[in-house]
Structures are given as C-alpha cells and as structure tokens.
Amino acid sequence: MNKLSKDLREKLKNISTATIATCLYKRGLRNQFIQNVFPLSHKKGNMVGEAFTLRYIPAREDLNTVSVFKNPKHPQRVAIETCPEGSVLVIDSRKNARAASAGSILVTRLMKRGAAGIVTDGGFRDSEEIANLDFPSYHQKPSAPTNLTLHQALDINVPIGCGDVAVFPGDIIVGDKDGVMVIPFEIIEDVVNECVEMTLFEDFVLEQVNKGESIVGLYPPTNELTLVNYENWKKKL
C-alpha cells in the first residue's frame, strides 16, 4: 500500500482543502472534493492519511439479517480491525444515511488502533458520541439508529465512490473544517510543494489586503512589483 512520508504528512496538516482544490484544478482534476460530507466536530486539526476503503451495497434481506454481525469475518468488522495505522477509512455508503455506516464503538476502536480518521457519504449512529471523540470523523448526517440492515458491507480496500468522487486505495485524504479532498498518490509530492508555496503567497496577500491594498495586480500577481514585494517579504520570515 502507498505510504505517505512523515514530511509530506506534516505539511498537509497546514494546507486547506480550498488550496488543494485549486492546485488539482490546474492539473485538470475538477472532481476531488467529496460532496455533502461534513465534520462532526470543529475541534480537530486537519485529517491526513492514506485511503483504506469499505464498500456497501443495498441489502438483500435473506443475506443481511442482524445475525451477520456475529461473524468475525464480517467486512465492516474486518475493515475496522485491519485499517492501517495513519490511514483514513473511507466508506462508500451510496450517499444513503438511512442505515448507519458505523457507530461510536467501532469508531472508537478505529481511533484506538491509530487510524487518522473516518469518512462516509452516509451517516453514523451515535453521532454525538463520535463528535466528542478526539478523532476526525466526516459524514452526511446522522443515521436512523435502528435501521442496521438497509445496506450490507461487501468489499474492503477496493476502488469506491464516496460523495461522487472516485477513491482508490492509497489515495491521500485531507479533511478540514470545509470538507474532504482526495489526492492521487502519484502526484502527492508535487501537489504538496505547490500548495505550501500557494499558502505562503496567500498569507502575504492577506497581510497586504489587511493593510488596505487593492487586489488588482496583487491577486493574481499581474503586477511585477507584487512578486518582488513577495520575495522580500519571505526573506523577513
């Protein structure tokens, strides 16, 4: 499985999903922001990790009774117990929150095993308890707590769709207070390096705007003097 370096992981913790979206857009990737997925709590910093995936399909009643959860090989349970340390469990719940993707016990176990977070385009049961964990968690909305068998877990660590975005195992997942971005692993180093520079430039621009500067010629830097001033500003950091 793809493994994110410690250096890149730390840099991504300080890069916004908005900046990543702009960077990917310039590379022709225009559909990498998972739709209608929101953080349960705004207390945490950026969620960063490799994607480890779980796929649900619509339940067939004769194959998905409550008793299936007793099976130690149940895919949902296996995903919780095998998601690698530092990875983000990303769940394809078919954008359907009527059945829970997971509850507080499973999410707590995932946290204790050292995962970096969890994302579903469905919902969680026990959403208030999950929100109180020190663990990044993203979902569409709370699930109906008794509808456990409307969908069934099928595949682990395969390509999935989550919130209308294709997620491949090993893709890099970054979540902040706005939502969740998916970055192809193959371009991660270039994306991070560009985003670090973009973030620094935007810090400079914001400082100038707060001083009363016009954005014309500043953002984007169509005035040559803007880049000169930016380089001088960086030297003082």
Side-chain angles (χ1 to χ4, degrees):
M1 181 174 173
N2 298 330
K3 193 66 178 176
L4 189 62
S5 72
K6 182 178 180 180
D7 178 61
L8 293 178
R9 187 182 296 268
E10 289 303 314
K11 287 178 179 177
L12 283 167
K13 290 181 179 179
N14 296 299
I15 298 172
S16 72
T17 56
T19 297
I20 294 169
T22 300
C23 182
L24 294 180
Y25 181 85
K26 290 189 290 184
R27 286 168 166 75
L29 295 167
R30 303 179 180 183
N31 187 45
Q32 301 302 117
F33 186 76
I34 297 180
Q35 297 297 305
N36 297 317
V37 163
F38 308 96
L40 273 75
S41 171
H42 292 292
K43 295 184 296 184
K44 292 94 180 175
N46 277 13
M47 172 185 69
V48 179
E50 303 89 353
F52 187 84
T53 64
L54 172 65
R55 184 170 73 96
Y56 284 105
I57 63 172
R60 205 178 80 181
E61 289 79 1
D62 61 328
L63 299 177
N64 200 57
T65 63
V66 172
S67 63
V68 301
F69 293 103
K70 296 179 181 179
N71 183 355
K73 295 183 179 180
H74 187 279
Q76 182 200 51
R77 267 52 177 176
V78 174
I80 295 294
E81 293 293 339
T82 59
C83 180
E85 182 177 353
S87 293
V88 176
L89 180 58
V90 185
I91 303 175
D92 175 0
S93 284
R94 304 174 295 111
K95 300 186 292 184
N96 185 347
R98 291 185 301 154
S101 301
S104 62
I105 292 175
L106 271 64
V107 175
T108 299
R109 173 60 178 160
L110 195 63
M111 176 183 71
K112 291 296 184 180
R113 292 194 60 255
I118 185 170
V119 181
T120 177
D121 62 0
F124 295 121
R125 59 187 302 184
D126 314 318
S127 58
E128 184 176 359
E129 294 177 35
I130 294 172
N132 288 328
L133 295 173
D134 186 21
F135 188 67
S137 305
Y138 293 77
H139 73 164
Q140 180 192 153
K141 57 185 177 181
S143 296
T146 55
N147 290 340
L148 296 175
T149 57
L150 291 177
H151 60 199
Q152 62 191 71
L154 186 67
D155 293 318
I156 298 172
N157 220 29
V158 297
I160 62 169
C162 184
D164 293 325
V165 177
V167 182
F168 290 81
D171 281 346
I172 303 304
I173 308 298
V174 179
D176 62 10
K177 293 178 181 179
D178 287 334
V180 180
M181 288 293 300
V182 181
I183 310 170
F185 183 83
E186 291 74 18
I187 60 172
I188 188 60
E189 187 169 357
D190 289 343
V191 168
V192 170
N193 290 336
E194 182 174 341
C195 285
V196 167
E197 186 65 28
M198 288 172 63
T199 300
L200 193 60
F201 178 70
E202 288 178 357
D203 288 344
F204 163 76
V205 168
L206 191 57
E207 184 177 300
Q208 303 310 303
V209 170
N210 277 318
K211 290 178 179 179
E213 294 291 334
S214 168
I215 60 169
V216 177
L218 175 67
Y219 189 70
T222 54
N223 186 331
E224 291 182 7
L225 186 59
T226 294
L227 294 178
V228 173
N229 291 337
Y230 172 55
E231 291 301 322
N232 290 332
W233 177 84
K234 284 198 295 184
K235 293 176 183 178
K236 298 176 183 178
L237 295 178

